[in-house]
Amino acid sequence: MRVTAAVLWTAAVLVGLQKSASSPDNFVDRSSQNLSSVPTDLPQTTEFLDLSRNYIHQLHNGDFEKTTHLRFLNVSWNGLEEIDPQTFLDTPLLEHLDLSHNNLKNLSGQQYLLHTVNLLMLNLAFNRFLTMTLGSEFSSLVKLERLKVGAKNISVGDFKNIAKVKLRTLTLLLEDGLYYEAGSLEDVHAQRLQIAFGHDQKIDRNLTADALSLFAEVEMMNMEDGYRDLSKQLRETVKIHTTSFYLTNITIKWQDLTEYVNVALNTTLKHVGVSEMNVKNPPHYTTEVIKTSQVISFTARQAVVTSFQFSQEALYNFFISMPVERVAITDTSIIHMTCPKSQSPIRQLDFSFGALSDSIFSSVVGKKVVECQNLHNLKNLTLVGNSLKKLEILSKRFQYMSSLQHLDLSVNSIRYDQSSQCIWPASITNINLSSNSLTDSVFQCLPNGTQILDLQNNQISVVPQSIFKLRNLSTLNLNANRLRDLPLCHTFPKLHKLLLRSNSLHAPSVNILESCPELRTLDVSFNPFTCTCTLTSFIKLAINSEKNNSQSGIELLNWPQGYYCTYPEDVRNSTLRSISIPEVSCSIGLLVVAILVPAGTLIIFVVILCHRLDVPWYMGMIWQWTRAKHRARMQQARPEDLVGLEFHAFVSYSQHDADWVRNSLLPNLEGPAGGLRICHHEKHFVPGKTIIENIISCVEKCRRSVFVLSAHFVKSEWCHYELYFATHQRLTLGSDSIVLVLLEPLPQYLIPSKYYQLKSMMNRHTYLEWPQDRAKQRLFWANLRAALQTDLPNAPVTQVQDHLAEERLEEGQRLIG
């Protein structure tokens, strides 16, 4: 229960922080500082004050006279014995007060509460109260929502002074030797009753009876035993007023759990739940569950099984066979879920944050995979945060769920590799695939009837047009992807809302919106806008959307606060609405007058000047020199120049691009596919040497150096060193010793100034660009192999491996010696 008290206090502080966080002086933490009294140097602006875990035994009048704005106060764990009635006279705004874990002795003498009429939460648990008799001062707490208290004796009339207070939650901390008189809670008006048991404490039958007959929601916490008594009392209770019954932080045997659940399902309860549950003695055989029930929902959260030898199928079958409308098992590491044996009444399933795989709901009979056909009534399925991988396989798992409308597969590792077609139930209208690993191909694997599609936080760079039409799609969320322009709406004729926040849009093409006749809401905020002429049309659209009513045009979300320039430098971080792009720089007619006419005059002047200074002769000589250098570079390398070279190329790349190098580059250059010998740090850096030594050694042993350029590359210090040494090597091997591969667009303005050599090479030399179109990738690999092909000496590349082997052999001999 110490944890529960801390959680309540933390929650209260967080709620307050959301309302007011204007100054760091608002929150003052003086906990665990060996204080014996309230500090006198508290800021006047203090709203949140933590004095817990000190030695403050008394609170006096005037202790808080300077903190008139105080709203949250924690004085728990202090050994507090006495509180002056005038203590809180100066804190009329106080809403949350924690006095738990102290030495207060009389619940009838808490006169200080007369000055806390705005209290919303009061925690008096774990003090030395013998009786639960609340004094008349409690009647002044008309706004109180949560009361937490405990005493050894609870009698009829103890709560009469809060009879008119409408509590949201009453928490009773049961102490050792508890005496409870039946009917003692009749004066309490609360939505929820929480009963927290002490260590090895038994269930009080009278208390349980009052709880079930007086409160809509009942929660029993920290139980270790007595489940059979609870089940028996539930079975024998004829009239139950409670609709929601929960067990929290419990340890329970499987047999007791299933008995309790079956009994609860056979009552008039509507919602049954367990959380923070430790299950002992899990099943080896199937446990039957009743066939019919009035219960609407069953929830289980943070459940663990303490044994590894049990039948998982028997455990899963029990929960999936419940005769309820909603089942939720969340924050629990279940690795599979079976299919009900007969047609299930379940309409909503939630298995969020587990460990489910693509085999969910399926079974294997012989060598054949059997799909589930007994969830025809299921409408909502939530599988957030599991271990799902392949979209086409998942579509087959759900194909017989003929009523399924809402499907949430977010926060997984889902991909679609186009290896097979997707088979979805036609009923799906809302699908959430956010926070996965999906690319452009996902649009070939979507339910035809989708109306709301969430694909945010994936790896989508373009919305392909050669896909079937999603004729009913009204909302498309593509936030946090890699899109470079607005998608055409030809395949989404009813699109009403389009979200493209945090993509790679530099200058959205406004004319594309003409293909979206139904579009009313657009969000392209927090994109890297290039504030040049190409953006003028979009800025005009945004300003018009701000002036016009939403009925007459497109509403642009987050305008203007979420729209900033990233280029040019002189307007970086300026809002799009605040910048001004000169009309002359964007009008062809004005450019002709302002540029071409002066340029013509300048050309005439330059021609006359060149004729007088004999410039053509000098240009001719420079041209001849350039041609001579070009012929020298084209000559084949001499054999002596290749001495000491072991590799065709050294590959330099950022660790963020390692997957592309391992899965695409190396397979197409090495081995039978390319026949080249490639050096890269993961394989050929020698342990024990410094990174700089390894870089120099690898560059010197390679005929050429291949640099995989991306936004991550120019941020890497080691990539900078590799480029530096390769540039110096170019002086020996010639300018063709460096090959640049552009993995993604890399504008000049994104390249740091220290990469001036890279900027120079990109301006003067041709580089290879990685094509997204698969049809063009074969030519890309052919060009790259041709650029790297060189007849190296026939000696195999074994020096590094032999060096490592020799070191290991010497180490082994020393150990044997």
Side-chain angles (χ1 to χ4, degrees):
M1 287 313 299
R2 296 180 180 179
V3 175
T4 304
V7 168
L8 286 174
W9 170 250
T10 303
V13 171
L14 289 177
V15 171
L17 284 173
Q18 292 177 351
K19 297 180 180 179
S20 174
S22 58
S23 169
D25 290 337
N26 287 357
F27 188 97
V28 178
D29 184 1
R30 297 292 179 89
S31 61
S32 303
Q33 294 187 6
N34 295 322
L35 299 175
S36 59
S37 61
V38 177
T40 58
D41 60 344
L42 297 174
Q44 293 183 354
T45 57
T46 302
E47 295 184 32
F48 313 91
L49 178 57
D50 188 353
L51 297 174
S52 61
R53 299 186 181 276
N54 283 292
Y55 300 96
I56 302 174
H57 296 166
Q58 294 181 339
L59 293 179
H60 305 93
N61 179 18
D63 279 350
F64 304 103
E65 61 180 356
K66 294 182 180 180
T67 56
T68 56
H69 300 286
L70 191 64
R71 294 197 289 126
F72 296 83
L73 177 61
N74 184 356
V75 200
S76 62
W77 297 94
N78 268 277
L80 189 62
E81 298 176 352
E82 184 179 349
I83 302 176
D84 189 280
Q86 307 298 319
T87 296
F88 300 111
L89 184 63
D90 302 310
T91 58
L93 302 179
L94 190 62
E95 296 177 347
H96 293 246
L97 179 59
D98 189 345
L99 299 172
S100 61
H101 297 276
N102 283 296
N103 295 325
L104 300 176
K105 297 180 179 180
N106 186 4
L107 275 171
S108 300
Q110 310 299 312
Q111 298 298 317
Y112 56 88
L113 294 177
L114 293 172
H115 302 291
T116 60
V117 294
N118 287 312
L119 271 187
L120 300 177
M121 191 280 288
L122 175 60
N123 187 353
L124 291 168
F126 298 104
N127 277 278
R128 296 188 177 184
F129 302 131
L130 294 177
T131 63
M132 190 65 78
T133 307
L134 303 183
S136 59
E137 58 274 10
F138 281 85
S139 61
S140 64
L141 305 179
V142 293
K143 296 183 179 180
L144 194 64
E145 296 179 354
R146 296 180 177 88
L147 174 61
K148 191 171 183 180
V149 67
K152 290 184 175 296
N153 298 282
I154 304 177
S155 304
V156 174
D158 281 351
F159 295 97
K160 66 180 180 179
N161 285 317
I162 60 168
K164 296 182 179 180
V165 179
K166 306 297 182 183
L167 293 174
R168 183 179 300 174
T169 303
L170 171 64
T171 303
L172 294 180
L173 285 302
L174 304 188
E175 301 185 9
D176 294 337
L178 172 72
Y179 168 78
Y180 178 84
E181 183 180 359
S184 297
L185 294 175
E186 290 182 355
D187 292 324
V188 178
H189 296 87
Q191 175 69 20
R192 171 180 288 225
L193 174 65
Q194 292 180 326
I195 303 174
F197 291 87
H199 181 63
D200 290 335
Q201 196 161 26
K202 304 298 182 181
I203 291 179
D204 187 284
R205 189 175 181 86
N206 292 332
L207 176 57
T208 303
D210 283 354
L212 294 173
S213 62
L214 297 173
F215 300 94
E217 300 177 14
V218 174
E219 179 180 4
M220 292 187 172
M221 302 182 293
N222 309 331
M223 288 182 61
E224 298 177 354
D225 200 358
Y227 300 105
R228 294 189 177 182
D229 294 336
L230 175 61
S231 299
K232 180 180 179 182
Q233 189 165 357
L234 282 173
R235 187 185 296 111
E236 295 174 353
T237 303
V238 177
K239 185 177 181 180
I240 297 178
H241 173 73
T242 301
T243 58
S244 302
F245 195 85
Y246 304 101
L247 299 179
T248 302
N249 191 24
I250 64 171
T251 300
I252 188 171
K253 296 179 181 178
W254 174 257
Q255 183 179 356
D256 294 338
L257 174 63
T258 53
E259 179 185 0
Y260 158 72
V261 170
N262 275 318
V263 170
L265 292 175
N266 202 32
T267 65
T268 58
L269 293 171
K270 299 300 180 185
H271 308 284
V272 177
V274 292
S275 61
E276 303 174 49
M277 175 176 62
N278 185 355
V279 180
K280 299 166 61 176
N281 302 335
H284 294 278
Y285 306 99
T286 299
T287 305
E288 295 296 329
V289 62
I290 66 172
K291 303 301 181 183
T292 60
S293 175
Q294 298 181 44
V295 173
I296 297 175
S297 70
F298 174 83
T299 59
R301 186 178 64 86
Q302 295 183 6
V304 295
V305 178
T306 57
S307 173
F308 295 100
Q309 296 182 352
F310 67 97
S311 171
Q312 294 189 24
E313 182 177 358
L315 187 146
Y316 300 143
N317 282 341
F318 180 82
F319 293 109
I320 198 65
S321 301
M322 288 187 177
V324 296
E325 293 185 9
R326 300 195 297 267
V327 173
I329 303 177
T330 61
D331 299 292
T332 302
S333 298
I334 55 175
I335 61 175
H336 185 64
M337 182 50 65
T338 56
C339 179
K341 301 300 182 182
S342 59
Q343 203 56 240
S344 173
I346 297 176
R347 296 187 178 184
Q348 295 183 24
L349 278 176
D350 185 354
F351 299 133
S352 298
F353 302 105
L356 294 169
S357 66
D358 292 347
S359 64
I360 183 173
F361 299 129
S362 66
S363 60
V364 178
V365 179
K367 295 183 179 181
K368 183 179 179 181
V369 177
V370 178
E371 307 295 352
C372 182
Q373 301 187 33
N374 290 329
L375 288 169
H376 289 308
N377 295 311
L378 188 63
K379 291 186 176 182
N380 290 46
L381 177 58
T382 302
L383 299 173
V384 177
N386 281 276
S387 300
L388 308 178
K389 303 292 184 183
K390 294 188 176 182
L391 190 59
E392 61 271 26
I393 293 178
L394 293 171
S395 69
K396 296 177 183 179
R397 299 290 179 262
F398 312 139
Q399 61 180 307
Y400 296 111
M401 300 177 185
S402 56
S403 299
L404 186 61
Q405 296 178 357
H406 303 275
L407 177 61
D408 192 343
L409 301 176
S410 59
V411 197
N412 280 280
S413 302
I414 299 175
R415 298 176 179 269
Y416 176 56
D417 57 10
Q418 307 180 59
S419 60
S420 61
Q421 292 184 344
C422 298
I423 307 173
W424 297 100
S427 56
I428 293 180
T429 59
N430 186 334
I431 183 168
N432 188 341
L433 294 169
S434 62
S435 299
N436 281 287
S437 302
L438 296 166
T439 61
D440 310 347
S441 61
V442 67
F443 288 95
Q444 302 176 27
C445 181
L446 293 173
N448 292 336
T450 303
Q451 297 177 12
I452 300 175
L453 176 59
D454 192 342
L455 288 169
Q456 67 175 316
N457 196 24
N458 278 284
Q459 302 171 19
I460 300 170
S461 58
V462 65
V463 178
Q465 295 304 300
S466 58
I467 62 173
F468 57 86
K469 287 189 175 182
L470 296 176
R471 298 184 180 277
N472 298 320
L473 187 66
S474 62
T475 300
L476 176 59
N477 188 344
L478 289 169
N479 289 340
N481 276 278
R482 302 176 180 178
L483 291 165
R484 300 174 186 173
D485 205 347
L486 301 175
L488 289 167
C489 298
H490 296 311
T491 50
F492 319 126
K494 294 184 180 180
L495 190 64
H496 188 273
K497 187 175 185 178
L498 177 61
L499 306 177
L500 297 169
R501 178 173 175 167
S502 300
N503 275 270
S504 300
L505 279 72
H506 294 280
S509 302
V510 176
N511 59 332
I512 291 179
L513 296 178
E514 296 176 359
S515 66
C516 310
E518 300 294 327
L519 189 64
R520 294 294 177 267
T521 304
L522 176 65
D523 186 359
V524 288
S525 58
F526 300 100
N527 276 278
F529 294 107
T530 301
C531 295
T532 58
C533 291
T534 55
L535 197 64
T536 54
S537 297
F538 176 77
I539 294 176
K540 291 179 181 178
L541 171 71
I543 294 175
N544 290 335
S545 69
E546 185 179 17
K547 294 179 180 179
N548 300 334
N549 295 327
S550 59
Q551 297 178 351
S552 60
I554 297 176
E555 178 188 4
L556 197 61
L557 300 182
N558 298 315
W559 175 268
Q561 293 84 0
Y563 297 78
Y564 293 88
C565 299
T566 58
Y567 183 82
E569 287 293 334
D570 57 338
V571 293
R572 180 184 286 270
N573 296 327
S574 299
T575 61
L576 268 57
R577 188 173 64 174
S578 65
I579 66 167
S580 177
I581 301 176
E583 196 71 28
V584 66
S585 63
C586 303
S587 173
I588 296 178
L590 292 176
L591 284 175
V592 170
V593 176
I595 298 177
L596 295 184
V597 172
T601 304
L602 180 61
I603 290 172
I604 295 173
F605 174 76
V606 171
V607 169
I608 296 173
L609 186 62
C610 289
H611 179 71
R612 285 185 175 274
L613 299 178
D614 208 8
V615 172
W617 184 86
Y618 288 103
M619 295 297 296
M621 295 301 294
I622 293 175
W623 170 247
Q624 292 297 329
W625 180 84
T626 303
R627 292 186 61 188
K629 296 292 291 182
H630 178 69
R631 285 194 299 270
R633 287 200 306 270
M634 295 301 295
Q635 291 178 355
Q636 187 173 4
R638 295 173 299 174
E640 56 267 30
D641 294 336
L642 301 177
V643 173
L645 297 181
E646 300 180 8
F647 302 91
H648 290 88
F650 168 69
V651 180
S652 174
Y653 57 95
S654 168
Q655 196 60 34
H656 292 277
D657 303 321
D659 289 343
W660 183 84
V661 172
R662 285 194 294 265
N663 299 332
S664 298
L665 181 68
L666 295 179
N668 282 280
L669 297 183
E670 294 180 325
L676 301 178
R677 301 204 292 266
I678 304 300
C679 177
H680 56 98
H681 73 270
E682 292 184 356
K683 183 177 179 182
H684 298 102
F685 275 20
V686 178
K689 287 187 177 183
T690 66
I691 296 179
I692 297 297
E693 290 176 339
N694 276 309
I695 293 174
I696 295 175
S697 175
C698 286
V699 170
E700 290 178 346
K701 293 177 183 178
C702 298
R703 177 65 179 88
R704 292 178 175 85
S705 296
V706 178
F707 291 90
V708 182
L709 303 182
S710 67
H712 300 296
F713 181 94
V714 297
K715 296 177 182 178
S716 172
E717 287 296 330
W718 295 119
C719 291
H720 180 220
Y721 287 132
E722 292 168 351
L723 178 63
Y724 175 83
F725 292 122
T727 304
H728 282 269
Q729 184 74 355
R730 184 167 63 121
L731 299 176
T732 303
L733 299 179
S735 60
D736 65 336
S737 65
I738 291 182
V739 179
L740 304 180
V741 175
L742 199 59
L743 189 58
E744 61 185 22
L746 190 62
Q748 290 280 334
Y749 65 87
L750 290 182
I751 302 177
S753 58
K754 66 181 180 181
Y755 281 90
Y756 65 92
Q757 293 175 323
L758 176 60
K759 290 184 178 181
S760 176
M761 284 188 283
M762 292 182 68
N763 289 330
R764 290 184 296 167
H765 297 282
T766 303
Y767 48 82
L768 295 174
E769 292 188 60
W770 170 249
Q772 297 295 329
D773 188 354
R774 289 189 176 183
K776 298 178 181 178
Q777 291 176 6
R778 180 179 295 181
L779 181 59
F780 169 86
W781 294 122
N783 287 335
L784 182 56
R785 286 192 291 266
L788 301 178
Q789 189 63 53
T790 299
D791 294 327
L792 295 179
N794 294 326
V797 185
T798 59
Q799 182 176 350
V800 174
Q801 290 85 344
D802 292 343
H803 176 75
L804 294 174
E806 290 174 2
E807 289 186 348
R808 292 169 183 161
L809 181 59
E810 293 175 359
E811 180 65 19
Q813 291 175 348
R814 285 196 299 268
L815 293 174
I816 293 174

